[in-house]
Amino acid sequence: MITFDDVTAVYPGQPHPALHRINAEIEKGEFVFLIGSSGSGKSTFMRLIRREQRPSYGKVYVAGKDLSTLRQWKVPEFRRQIGTVFQDFRLLPGKTVFENVAFAMQVLGKRTSEIKREVPDVLELVGLTGLEDRRPDEMSGGEQQRVAIARAIINRPKILLADEPTGNLDPNTSVGIMRLLDRINRRGTTVVMATHDSTVVDQMRRRVIELIHGQMVRDQQHGVYGAE
Amino acid sequence: MRHILSETWSGLVRNRAMAFSVMVTMWVSLSLFGISVLVAEQVDALQSRWYGKIEISIFLCTELSSGLGVGNCEPGQATTPAQKELVRNRLEANPDVSEVIYESQQERYEAFLETYKDSPIQDTITVDNIQDAFRVKLKNPENYEGVLAEAKTLPGVQNVSDVHQILDPLFSALNALVWGARGLAALLIFAAAVQISNTIKLSAFTRRKELGIMRLVGASSGYITLPFVLESLVSAIGAIIFSGLTVAALMQFVIIDKAKPSIQTLEWIGWGSAWTAILWIAVAGVALGTIPPLLSTRRYLNV
């Protein structure tokens, strides 16, 4: 589903590459933790998957597409296969839960009837049934992250990228979010999650890719946060 | 489409002060542009009327031709029939000439009497004082210089009337006015384009969260761009309507109601010219409402 083939990413003016000669293959339906300290290259890794930037060297393949040669006008269509969740939720404050989730369908030109059918289903999946009319500022952090996850998966992406999704949440709420991501993964969605949260990594025991200063130092099945 | 329209509407409501100021700038610049079209049409009308009426008059020598300004006359000697024939032949052979008419001293004296019938000057002029002349009609009144130059060299020609020497500086000044108005209009249109671009920059900043989400979920560039272009186009349409009304008001209240009755001898433009100006305003307005936003959205929306 995702292949990094000897990928190096260099930012102009930076002495060291953000990513250096990364080789990794993530299969369809996998759940992968991307761990490493700030500045280790996790965000660049995610940005390359979303085709927000191109590698300086090497190639990135996502969902069968070589992103180095993907034309700019085809990028939006490509991104429909990827859902993204952030640490800061990025919800629209003036819109209700329903409207926030529906927005992701509206901007793809989906019909109102389809939106009215699909949004309640996905809100049920993320456990927000009954909260459709709330606004983000009336909700807890965990609930807001569930809205963000609902928005990320409403268009049924093949890949879900989660960038520190539990970073702003307390441990109990984080467990709930991880259960939700696990449930989404079990439905066939490939999940790549960048995190600092050792607890969730240790509890989940999924594949771990560790980056240090842009180098991949570990790629371990059923790994934990600190090397065993 | 409904979502795009609602985004456009909410954008207009949110940025109503900016949208209004963009519309006013566009209104002023498009009005000035329309006025420059009207002035150009007016200058054209005057030029074609005046130059169309102009004939080159070639005055021949009389026995009284002497002293300064005798041209190609022999002192005390009138133009001979052979010289007249030569002048006629040369003029008729000129490709810029459409017609050559000979007016005798007597004919011109009668015309003089008719023109000055109530004036005491009649008594001081006799038929001998009047020159006979060739009146030359040109195929294209603007191509006069060749005919003038040739006529001045012919024997038996005392002088050649050269009305262009008076009219050309006038039309040069009027044309400078037209280009001045066009330049000012272009400057204002550029200012409007910069203002549109700035508005989009601000608007994109206000909506950065929505835009970020749109990009993330894979909304097409067209979908992201369209509300911005439509917002700008709404301002442009408002400006086109107001500029059209401004030009129409100028036509009715200044030219038709005031100028035409006051100076009836001049050729004045009509509603045809006003419609031409309004059409150009519409073309420029639509271009102004679409091109700058398309360029700005590429730059500021990162689509």
Side-chain angles (χ1 to χ4, degrees):
Chain A
M1 180 61 70
I2 301 168
T3 305
F4 276 57
D5 182 8
D6 205 19
V7 170
T8 295
V10 183
Y11 290 109
Q14 296 294 317
H16 302 293
L19 287 176
H20 182 65
R21 305 200 70 169
I22 302 292
N23 285 288
E25 182 128 9
I26 297 169
E27 300 293 335
K28 182 170 182 270
E30 266 197 284
F31 193 122
V32 179
F33 285 114
L34 198 59
I35 65 168
S37 55
S38 295
S40 60
K42 299 192 300 292
S43 295
T44 304
F45 195 98
M46 302 286 231
R47 287 172 60 83
L48 285 167
I49 296 173
R50 283 196 296 267
R51 179 42 171 81
E52 285 187 83
Q53 69 182 74
R54 287 179 169 154
S56 310
Y57 307 100
K59 287 188 180 275
V60 177
Y61 299 90
V62 177
K65 290 199 167 61
D66 177 357
L67 301 192
S68 314
T69 57
L70 187 69
R71 306 294 287 269
Q72 189 62 36
W73 63 272
K74 284 196 164 177
V75 170
E77 195 186 338
F78 160 73
R79 286 197 186 136
R80 290 172 200 173
Q81 302 177 71
I82 300 173
T84 308
V85 180
F86 296 96
Q87 181 177 358
D88 59 358
F89 322 134
R90 300 196 188 175
L91 301 178
L92 301 174
K95 291 187 190 287
T96 63
V97 167
F98 187 96
E99 288 165 346
N100 262 287
V101 178
F103 184 75
M105 293 184 84
Q106 285 169 336
V107 298
L108 297 189
K110 301 276 174 71
R111 291 173 181 277
T112 310
S113 57
E114 202 180 343
I115 292 170
K116 282 183 177 165
R117 195 177 58 240
E118 301 266 332
V119 174
D121 284 353
V122 83
L123 287 178
E124 189 185 348
L125 176 71
V126 302
L128 289 177
T129 302
L131 302 180
E132 291 87 349
D133 297 329
R134 294 264 185 96
R135 289 183 192 279
D137 58 0
E138 298 166 341
M139 305 177 86
S140 69
E143 286 168 337
Q144 289 188 54
Q145 193 57 289
R146 284 171 189 268
V147 180
I149 292 170
R151 185 181 64 195
I153 61 170
I154 186 74
N155 292 316
R156 300 171 199 270
K158 291 177 182 166
I159 300 164
L160 179 64
L161 301 180
D163 197 351
E164 306 275 3
T166 58
N168 280 351
L169 307 176
D170 62 62
N172 282 340
T173 312
S174 296
V175 170
I177 293 297
M178 289 316 298
R179 279 190 188 141
L180 175 57
L181 291 176
D182 186 44
R183 202 181 312 151
I184 291 163
N185 173 241
R186 285 177 197 283
R187 287 158 57 110
T189 308
T190 307
V191 178
V192 179
M193 174 171 158
T195 187
H196 278 119
D197 192 336
S198 57
T199 312
V200 298
V201 177
D202 293 348
Q203 280 175 348
M204 296 279 289
R205 284 284 183 154
R206 297 297 183 96
R207 182 178 169 188
V208 172
I209 293 176
E210 184 175 1
L211 298 171
I212 296 178
H213 300 312
Q215 311 239 21
M216 196 169 88
V217 297
R218 181 158 59 113
D219 183 356
Q220 184 184 15
Q221 294 294 336
H222 313 295
V224 289
Y225 196 85
E228 286 173 307
Chain B
M1 193 65 202
R2 195 197 298 171
H3 186 250
I4 290 178
L5 291 176
S6 84
E7 282 288 306
T8 306
W9 176 249
S10 65
L12 279 168
V13 171
R14 189 165 32 202
N15 300 321
R16 54 190 176 275
M18 283 303 286
F20 178 74
S21 79
V22 165
M23 196 192 72
V24 170
T25 312
M26 285 168 93
W27 173 16
V28 174
S29 51
L30 290 176
S31 295
L32 198 64
F33 175 65
I35 290 168
S36 76
V37 173
L38 277 188
V39 175
E41 290 265 316
Q42 181 61 55
V43 170
D44 267 357
L46 290 176
Q47 259 175 334
S48 60
R49 171 79 180 265
W50 286 354
Y51 282 159
K53 277 187 166 179
I54 288 168
E55 294 166 346
I56 294 178
S57 295
I58 295 154
F59 299 103
L60 303 177
C61 306
T62 66
E63 287 167 3
L64 301 173
S65 303
S66 62
L68 286 172
V70 294
N72 305 326
C73 299
E74 296 284 333
Q77 201 176 322
T79 307
T80 64
Q83 284 174 330
K84 285 181 192 172
E85 198 53 33
L86 176 71
V87 171
R88 177 190 281 280
N89 289 342
R90 292 286 288 275
L91 289 173
E92 284 177 345
N94 191 307
D96 291 329
V97 171
S98 76
E99 193 180 2
V100 179
I101 302 159
Y102 175 73
E103 284 182 326
S104 67
Q105 278 178 302
Q106 189 58 41
E107 284 168 337
R108 297 199 64 241
Y109 181 65
E110 282 163 13
F112 165 78
L113 291 180
E114 179 63 26
T115 308
Y116 294 96
K117 58 185 174 191
D118 299 322
S119 169
I121 197 173
Q122 274 196 16
D123 305 331
T124 62
I125 303 289
T126 65
V127 71
D128 295 335
N129 295 115
I130 300 283
Q131 296 153 300
D132 51 352
F134 284 107
R135 283 198 292 115
V136 175
K137 287 190 176 169
L138 298 172
K139 284 177 185 159
N140 178 358
E142 287 179 22
N143 295 339
Y144 63 93
E145 283 170 343
V147 182
L148 271 182
E150 187 180 15
K152 281 177 181 169
T153 62
L154 296 174
V157 171
Q158 182 172 356
N159 66 22
V160 181
S161 73
D162 190 1
V163 186
H164 288 85
Q165 278 184 349
I166 303 160
L167 289 182
D168 282 356
L170 176 69
F171 284 121
S172 294
L174 286 173
N175 279 323
L177 190 73
V178 171
W179 282 106
R182 279 178 186 161
L184 206 58
L187 205 66
L188 277 169
I189 284 173
F190 176 73
V194 171
Q195 205 179 352
I196 289 167
S197 174
N198 268 334
T199 307
I200 284 169
K201 191 177 174 181
L202 279 174
S203 186
F205 183 76
T206 319
R207 292 188 223 172
R208 63 193 180 283
K209 247 184 178 175
E210 282 99 326
L211 293 169
I213 293 161
M214 284 182 183
R215 276 197 293 271
L216 273 181
V217 302
S220 66
S221 306
Y223 193 94
I224 296 175
T225 310
L226 208 54
F228 291 89
V229 177
L230 285 178
E231 268 179 51
S232 168
L233 207 54
V234 167
S235 296
I237 288 168
I240 289 169
I241 291 169
F242 283 118
S243 306
L245 290 174
T246 304
V247 165
L250 191 79
M251 189 71 210
Q252 181 64 46
F253 300 125
V254 178
I255 294 179
I256 293 176
D257 289 355
K258 296 266 185 210
K260 262 188 177 172
S262 309
I263 315 170
Q264 291 177 356
T265 49
L266 286 187
E267 178 78 13
W268 290 100
I269 49 172
W271 280 106
S273 299
W275 283 117
T276 304
I278 290 168
L279 188 72
W280 277 111
I281 285 173
V283 171
V286 170
L288 192 57
T290 48
I291 296 168
L294 280 174
L295 295 177
S296 313
T297 45
R298 285 191 80 82
R299 189 170 166 190
Y300 299 124
L301 305 188
N302 201 17
V303 289

